[in-house]
Amino acid sequence: MMIAGFPAFGKGTVGEKVTQFEFADCPQSSIWYNGYVQSFFTNRIDIGPAIFPREYLAIADSWLNDAQREGASIQKFTRRSLLNDRLDAEGYVAAQQHGASSHDLGWPFPHWVQVPGENGFRGVTAGWHFYDKKLGWEICYDPAREFAPEHFGEAATKTWELDDLESSGLFEEKHAWKLAVTGADPTLTSPEGVELDAFNCPYIQIRWKAECEGGIIEWMREGDSDWSSDQRMAFSADWIDGPGRSESTGMFHSIISLHKHSAWSGEITRIRFRFQGLDLRYSESAFGTPQKKRPEGEWQKDQTLFVRSIFTHWDTRHLVNNAIYVKSAFEYFRWTGDADFLKQIMPKLRTAMRYMMNEGGGLKFNHIRNTWHGHDGRPGYDVNPDGTKTWHVGHGKGGNYWDLLPFGWDDMYTTTHYYASLLAMAQLEEVCRAGTVENLPAAQWTSDSLRKHAADVKTVTNQKFWNEQAGRFVGTIDADGIPHDYGFTFVNLEAIHYGIANDEHARQIMEWINGERIVDGDTSTGADIYRYHLAPRATTKRNVEWYAHAWTGPETLPFGGQVQDGGAVLGFSFYDIMSRIKTLGPDNAWVRLMAIRDWDEEVAAYGGYRNYYNDGKGGTTLQGGGTAGGVGIDFEFTESSMLSAVVPLGFMGLRPDGQVLNIEPNLPKACSKMAVRNIKYQGVSMDVAVTSDRIKIYIHSMSSATLVVHFKGKELRIGEPGKYVINSRTESLENEGPGQL
């Protein structure tokens, strides 16, 4: 995951009643663990509204007590973020990454200038930026301007042809090109000699501002001698909310989906923009649309057009966002029981779920097939025997967090998250049906139908994506039917955690990752899979050929020198430990957590993560803050907080479902008693202590709602403060009254 520009650091704070863990047999381990939880919460950056870490942080934060961010409790902060997340008109959940010269609803790269080869973008893509002062998030502005200065600033304004427009030069107040309207058909026409490859320009975006509702784009193809009404598309004045979008530029951001037009093909020799309604003196516009005449006295008012930028871009959206959105909302709700939140968000969740079912082919195939332009799972280049590359620019667009890798087409990673979102949605629908949410329209599905569909997805997935020879899931099967398997530990561990892997496949996966089984052809095997101690390598097989076209030189870095090629990410130890609890048992999982503790304490003694890796002690480099590297821990790797959840969710087995707090302990022999103080559930701060056969719950204070707890087949209903005990070896359900745990 590479993010070069960040919002400001927005550190969290904790109070005296923050959640704390106690391990009866391992007091030093509990001291370390509490320090870990609080350190990563208070020190992680504010990554803004980006959707990709939303579930990671909901897993880490939803149960924290007396923890604040931006002056609000972390629960209120999470609630606000989820309610503000943006869906487009069709139901796609926007990535909400930092802004860039790419798809506003997608990932911030690649940009139009990121075309490999001697001539670069020329003849393939293009962009023009009519300003000299970039915004902080425009990561490709400087290198692109150095490579193609005629596409930037004042120089760019000299290359476009104007009709019924007059240039007033760059207007610094708006950081845009200012144009005065002088006639009935104000038109901007691209420079002669700038050709575009239609395949690599599926979208053209224009960022502009004027008092009109939009216009049309027209184009000429190779061999055309004139413009044609058969080669045009309308665009509208679209204001896109959010930092890095219209909110930052002050412009309309019109994203024109040219790839949907049958005549957008081959070599494009010219494009032009014609703006409708800027001159209203005439009874009919240049587009044949009847309009009212502007009163004679108003014609003296100047009509001005501002254009900030015009650029082509690829489809950088991530379909997995929809699943992340549904799961994040469920994660928040199952801990808070926030019925008002659920009432507000359920219509959006249903829209997001339906979009993934239909657009992602979930219902049709019982797995995800991403047919978006360029999301074909093919690599962006072939590596020839002599080491040179044959480029396939525009193919193999990234589809998730692992943004250099061309996950797409038949996509195992996104299928796993689709499966998990179906089960989350089923549980939310069950809560709504139980009457928690009033006056909510019925859904087009039932909880049972969602679970049935999820079961079908699981069956197909374990057949289609399983690599029998390697004993693990592949990442993607591309549009040519070629499976891609580089030993993706994250694909396989998440498959176990979310339950899409069947028991036999889960067992084989853990044998491989645990080093007990060697996979022929892998670069890393056995104990080397944990070479970096903090987590398993993300991949176990060297990859120098399966990337999106913008990552042009993977062979220049050693295996393990890049997070997505043999590197490791601390936060994804959450999936490792949770999968170990499920498959290998709590003793095995506890040993792995303590290995992370040993590594973390060694790093701390050396002076912290940056010192440790900068000095070469860690065996690789540290990614973050704009630099690539072999391990991800801090800066944009906010998912490091997710490891905080392995004790409450995994070892202690606290698993609320939105109606009931299920407690299913998975305690290791080395730590047979665990307790948590001030954990927050449905607005109630409580202490919980667990052993294998007995739980104690101490309620500090509570609202009028009754809490329902299930443990070992017994139900406890709590309606007032006090200390409650369930002993599985007796019939007792006790309320011992006020007191300490």
Side-chain angles (χ1 to χ4, degrees):
M1 177 195 57
M2 293 179 62
I3 304 178
F6 303 102
F9 280 68
K11 296 181 179 179
T13 59
V14 297
E16 293 181 357
K17 295 183 178 180
V18 68
T19 306
Q20 297 267 354
F21 295 92
E22 296 179 10
F23 308 151
D25 305 320
C26 316
Q28 293 304 308
S29 295
S30 61
I31 292 171
W32 166 76
Y33 193 74
N34 287 321
Y36 183 100
V37 173
Q38 293 182 35
S39 176
F40 276 97
F41 179 81
T42 57
N43 288 293
R44 73 180 184 227
I45 69 167
D46 177 8
I47 207 160
I51 200 72
F52 79 86
R54 183 77 77 234
E55 184 194 12
Y56 304 152
L57 300 184
I59 287 171
D61 295 347
S62 296
W63 42 269
L64 279 175
N65 189 62
D66 202 7
Q68 299 80 34
R69 201 163 189 91
E70 294 186 7
S73 72
I74 191 58
Q75 287 78 14
K76 289 182 179 178
F77 178 85
T78 303
R79 182 187 203 271
R80 182 172 65 237
S81 299
L82 286 164
L83 291 175
N84 288 339
D85 285 334
R86 184 173 184 270
L87 280 65
D88 72 9
E90 295 179 337
Y92 165 72
V93 177
Q96 299 177 162
Q97 270 279 22
H98 63 79
S101 299
S102 59
H103 199 303
D104 267 334
L105 306 184
W107 207 247
F109 67 85
H111 295 76
W112 60 269
V113 76
Q114 292 179 285
V115 178
E118 184 177 350
N119 295 322
F121 70 89
R122 293 182 174 88
V124 183
T125 62
W128 295 266
H129 299 263
F130 307 108
Y131 51 93
D132 289 324
K133 185 178 180 181
K134 67 175 181 178
L135 295 177
W137 40 259
E138 296 184 280
I139 58 177
C140 279
Y141 183 92
D142 290 334
R145 185 163 192 163
E146 183 178 348
F147 183 67
E150 72 276 15
H151 287 256
F152 292 82
E154 191 75 36
T157 69
K158 307 298 185 185
T159 62
W160 283 69
E161 295 180 11
L162 308 181
D163 292 287
D164 290 343
L165 290 167
E166 183 177 290
S167 175
S168 301
L170 299 186
F171 186 57
E172 288 304 314
E173 185 177 324
K174 288 186 177 291
H175 302 293
W177 185 11
K178 183 178 181 180
L179 300 131
V181 178
T182 60
D185 188 10
T187 304
L188 278 170
T189 304
S190 66
E192 283 193 86
V194 179
E195 290 83 24
L196 305 175
D197 171 30
F199 176 80
N200 275 293
C201 305
Y203 298 88
I204 289 180
Q205 186 173 157
I206 178 170
R207 295 177 178 175
W208 62 285
K209 191 67 179 294
E211 293 184 14
C212 73
E213 295 181 356
I216 60 170
I217 182 174
E218 297 177 325
W219 60 92
M220 295 174 65
R221 298 185 297 188
E222 185 179 23
D224 290 348
S225 58
D226 203 355
W227 305 94
S228 168
S229 60
D230 293 331
Q231 294 173 189
R232 63 166 52 164
M233 282 188 77
F235 65 90
S236 55
D238 298 324
W239 185 270
I240 299 182
D241 292 326
R245 277 72 185 174
S246 300
E247 181 181 310
S248 297
T249 64
M251 301 280 149
F252 300 127
H253 288 205
S254 300
I255 303 172
I256 310 169
S257 303
L258 289 159
H259 65 97
K260 295 182 178 180
H261 197 293
S262 60
W264 184 256
S265 61
E267 182 180 298
I268 309 299
T269 57
R270 304 290 294 275
I271 60 172
R272 70 179 183 181
F273 296 89
R274 301 168 67 191
F275 296 87
Q276 183 174 11
L278 280 174
D279 179 358
L280 299 182
R281 290 182 300 172
Y282 302 92
S283 59
E284 187 174 284
S285 77
F287 315 105
T289 306
Q291 296 180 343
K292 294 181 180 180
K293 290 184 179 180
R294 183 184 295 275
E296 196 67 30
E298 290 190 22
W299 172 238
Q300 301 303 317
K301 181 180 178 181
D302 291 337
Q303 292 295 306
T304 304
L305 169 67
F306 294 97
V307 181
R308 177 177 170 83
S309 56
I310 298 169
F311 54 90
T312 69
H313 63 79
W314 293 280
D315 189 346
T316 62
R317 295 175 299 163
H318 289 177
L319 184 58
V320 74
N321 292 354
N322 286 49
I324 291 171
Y325 183 56
V326 172
K327 291 187 294 161
S328 303
F330 172 68
E331 194 67 33
Y332 167 81
F333 175 77
R334 74 178 184 138
W335 281 100
T336 65
D338 186 344
D340 180 68
F341 164 82
L342 196 57
K343 183 175 183 178
Q344 291 185 60
I345 207 167
M346 277 301 285
K348 293 173 70 176
L349 297 181
R350 288 170 173 174
T351 298
M353 192 80 256
R354 185 165 52 248
Y355 182 85
M356 206 168 189
M357 289 175 168
N358 297 327
E359 184 72 10
L363 286 176
K364 181 178 180 180
F365 300 109
N366 284 321
H367 66 79
I368 292 300
R369 172 171 289 178
N370 190 340
T371 59
W372 288 344
H373 191 281
H375 289 256
D376 50 24
R378 300 181 178 109
Y381 48 84
D382 291 329
V383 180
N384 302 314
D386 63 357
T388 60
K389 296 182 176 73
T390 300
W391 301 102
H392 307 299
V393 178
H395 291 281
K397 290 292 161 287
N400 55 54
Y401 169 107
W402 304 90
D403 50 15
L404 304 180
L405 303 172
F407 281 90
W409 201 251
D410 292 342
D411 183 347
M412 171 62 192
Y413 182 92
T414 304
T415 296
T416 292
H417 292 273
Y418 174 62
Y419 170 83
S421 67
L422 288 169
L423 296 180
M425 196 71 194
Q427 190 59 37
L428 291 173
E429 293 290 3
E430 191 169 293
V431 170
C432 292
R433 188 181 62 186
T436 301
V437 179
E438 298 179 354
N439 301 319
L440 186 70
Q444 67 181 80
W445 48 60
T446 65
S447 296
D448 288 343
S449 68
L450 289 170
R451 292 186 177 113
K452 170 62 168 62
H453 177 40
D456 293 340
V457 170
K458 180 172 182 174
T459 298
V460 169
T461 294
N462 281 274
Q463 296 168 349
K464 183 177 183 66
F465 294 103
W466 185 250
N467 183 340
E468 194 68 45
Q469 184 175 1
R472 63 196 182 200
F473 289 112
V474 304
T476 279
I477 302 172
D478 69 24
D480 296 320
I482 300 172
H484 297 276
D485 178 6
Y486 291 91
F488 299 113
T489 61
F490 57 91
V491 168
N492 285 271
L493 290 170
E494 288 171 41
I496 296 174
H497 172 69
Y498 289 112
I500 198 170
N502 64 35
D503 290 346
E504 174 57 24
H505 288 168
R507 183 189 64 78
Q508 291 186 52
I509 289 167
M510 292 312 302
E511 284 180 348
W512 153 57
I513 292 177
N514 207 35
E516 301 166 20
R517 180 171 60 83
I518 305 301
V519 176
D520 290 342
D522 272 7
T523 311
S524 176
T525 60
D528 184 72
I529 293 174
Y530 286 88
R531 166 71 176 82
Y532 302 122
H533 306 295
L534 70 164
R537 293 182 185 268
T539 62
T540 58
K541 183 179 179 181
R542 176 67 157 154
N543 174 17
V544 295
E545 64 276 333
W546 191 65
Y547 290 99
H549 73 257
W551 191 245
T552 58
E555 71 282 356
T556 64
L557 295 173
F559 182 65
Q562 216 294 327
V563 163
Q564 301 180 52
D565 182 30
V569 177
L570 172 60
F572 296 141
S573 278
F574 169 81
Y575 293 116
D576 185 19
I577 291 173
M578 295 295 283
S579 296
R580 287 172 178 274
I581 290 172
K582 180 183 289 189
T583 307
L584 300 178
D587 291 334
N588 178 283
W590 184 256
V591 170
R592 176 88 281 274
L593 181 61
M594 291 301 99
I596 295 172
R597 174 194 166 187
D598 291 343
W599 160 82
D600 193 50
E601 290 180 339
E602 178 182 331
V603 171
Y606 196 83
Y609 304 119
R610 292 278 146 186
N611 290 338
Y612 188 79
Y613 288 96
N614 287 346
D615 289 353
K617 286 285 291 181
T620 187
T621 53
L622 184 59
Q623 180 167 317
T627 60
V631 295
I633 299 171
D634 57 4
F635 279 90
E636 66 264 37
F637 293 90
T638 57
E639 63 270 15
S640 292
S641 282
M642 195 162 49
L643 189 62
S644 305
V646 297
V647 169
L649 275 62
F651 293 109
M652 295 185 71
L654 307 182
R655 299 181 180 179
D657 62 13
Q659 295 173 296
V660 174
L661 175 57
N662 299 286
I663 302 181
E664 304 166 5
N666 300 284
L667 297 171
K669 294 184 179 68
C671 191
S672 59
K673 299 177 183 179
M674 289 187 178
V676 57
R677 297 187 184 276
N678 298 315
I679 194 167
K680 199 162 192 175
Y681 173 64
Q682 294 200 3
V684 175
S685 173
M686 63 173 70
D687 302 340
V688 181
V690 302
T691 67
S692 60
D693 55 15
R694 192 168 185 257
I695 64 169
K696 291 183 179 181
I697 300 175
Y698 175 50
I699 305 295
H700 299 268
S701 61
M702 64 182 301
S703 61
S704 57
T706 298
L707 304 180
V708 181
V709 179
H710 286 178
F711 174 71
K712 301 283 188 179
K714 297 182 179 182
E715 179 175 286
L716 175 65
R717 303 182 71 85
I718 301 174
E720 61 182 4
K723 185 167 66 174
Y724 298 83
V725 179
I726 303 179
N727 192 328
S728 66
R729 293 180 296 181
T730 69
E731 294 301 316
S732 64
L733 299 175
E734 308 165 22
N735 179 358
E736 299 182 357
Q740 295 298 310
L741 187 63

